[in-house]
Amino acid sequence: MASEDFIPNEEGQDLKVPLPKEWDLAALKTMPVTLYSGKTSPPSCKLRLLLKYYEVPFTVKNGKKPGSAYQKFPVLDIGDRQINDSFIIAKSLAPILQGRPYTPEELEIEREMTFGLMVAGEMRTAGSCKELCACGALLGGKIGCFLRCCSCALCCFAPGIIGKNQQLKSVQGYGDMLRDHLGSNQFLGGGDKPSALDLYVGLRYASALRPHRRSLDRGSAGPARRRAEPVVRPNGGSNLAHRHLQGMNQEGRAVPKHPEW
């Protein structure tokens, strides 16, 4: 339950009571953190990756948070504080994880990645019979069986449903936006090490939009992609993003493979 002076936010709504300014990464690692998420949910994958990358111990619980008025996921509990909506969660955690809040420009990119590029990736996955089948295999049970059996039919109309009434840029357009922000910097965060934003963009490139890499490069976003990928492919070795997207739990045990989303 949330404390009386901390009311959980609604979707798209900033926290009414911000997280304490004295909270830093070291403090967060000592707190009980629980993530309510979905195995194939892109926003959930994003948050699992962020927490694991910054080595924050957390417990994953699949599905919606029981007893919560907010019936979507992901939901993040830090102690007795509940934060809803992946965009607000990422925005709220940025000062703790990377030591500073997002700049207005970084916040706009985070918004475009969450409500633009992520949706484009969902549409691509929903239009692939192969990836829908893989999603079904991961989900298991009746829902997973239904998804696998109906994947060929679903991929014909599901992308249109996901993209309905969405004002999305082209993939190349998102690439141009990232290129313009990156400029001559080594990382999107502007420092000498990856920021939370670099990690998120690296995840998008390394997994969700890999088939569109040529389009992104043609949009002059190649430098952004090449600098972002090492964030999720440390030392050119195992892919941290893919390990999380494969449902790695808190203890690091992997579950059977599932699609890139």
Side-chain angles (χ1 to χ4, degrees):
M1 296 294 291
S3 60
E4 293 181 358
D5 60 347
F6 186 84
I7 302 174
N9 60 296
E10 298 295 333
E11 186 173 19
Q13 179 186 73
D14 284 326
L15 301 182
K16 294 182 179 179
V17 179
L19 298 178
K21 292 183 178 180
E22 60 269 21
W23 282 13
D24 58 12
L25 184 56
L28 183 62
K29 291 181 178 181
T30 67
M31 301 177 186
V33 178
T34 302
L35 177 65
Y36 295 87
S37 65
K39 289 182 178 179
T40 59
S41 160
S44 299
C45 294
K46 159 190 168 181
L47 295 177
R48 289 198 298 269
L49 177 58
L50 281 174
L51 293 171
K52 194 69 177 182
Y53 180 80
Y54 286 99
E55 300 181 341
V56 176
F58 66 103
T59 300
V60 175
K61 294 189 177 181
N62 290 320
K64 303 172 184 177
K65 181 180 178 179
S68 173
Y70 184 80
Q71 286 297 292
K72 296 182 179 181
F73 50 71
V75 167
L76 187 70
D77 279 358
I78 304 177
D80 61 354
R81 299 193 173 205
Q82 176 180 331
I83 311 175
N84 306 322
D85 186 338
S86 68
F87 176 75
I88 301 300
I89 294 172
K91 178 182 177 181
S92 301
L93 288 182
I96 299 174
L97 298 178
Q98 65 181 19
R100 63 170 180 80
Y102 282 139
T103 65
E105 293 78 12
E106 290 171 337
L107 190 61
E108 183 58 29
I109 290 180
E110 174 78 31
R111 190 185 307 276
E112 289 285 353
M113 296 299 100
T114 302
F115 302 110
L117 189 56
M118 182 182 289
V119 178
E122 289 177 333
M123 291 174 64
R124 182 187 69 81
T125 294
S128 167
C129 180
K130 179 181 178 181
E131 293 192 18
L132 288 177
C133 283
C135 281
L138 173 68
L139 289 171
K142 294 180 180 179
I143 296 178
C145 181
F146 172 81
L147 185 58
R148 297 185 73 181
C149 291
C150 301
S151 59
C152 290
L154 288 172
C155 70
C156 295
F157 62 85
I161 295 176
I162 294 173
K164 186 177 181 180
N165 299 324
Q166 297 280 353
Q167 299 296 320
L168 301 176
K169 296 182 176 70
S170 66
V171 173
Q172 181 173 323
Y174 289 112
D176 287 338
M177 179 189 68
L178 292 171
R179 181 275 317 273
D180 291 341
H181 179 79
L182 180 66
S184 60
N185 294 324
Q186 183 178 4
F187 295 107
L188 290 167
D192 58 358
K193 60 182 179 180
S195 66
L197 187 61
D198 287 281
L199 184 66
Y200 185 26
V201 172
L203 169 62
R204 299 275 74 77
Y205 275 121
S207 56
L209 295 178
R210 183 167 52 186
H212 298 296
R213 181 170 295 179
R214 291 182 180 177
S215 295
L216 288 161
D217 284 349
R218 283 199 300 271
S220 301
R225 174 180 63 77
R226 288 188 288 273
R227 294 172 196 174
E229 279 191 331
V231 181
V232 290
R233 293 183 183 274
N235 300 321
S238 60
N239 188 325
L240 180 61
H242 284 179
R243 294 212 310 275
H244 282 273
L245 291 174
Q246 288 170 354
M248 179 176 287
N249 61 18
Q250 181 182 355
E251 293 74 28
R253 294 194 299 268
V255 299
K257 292 181 179 180
H258 73 285
E260 295 157 352
W261 274 106

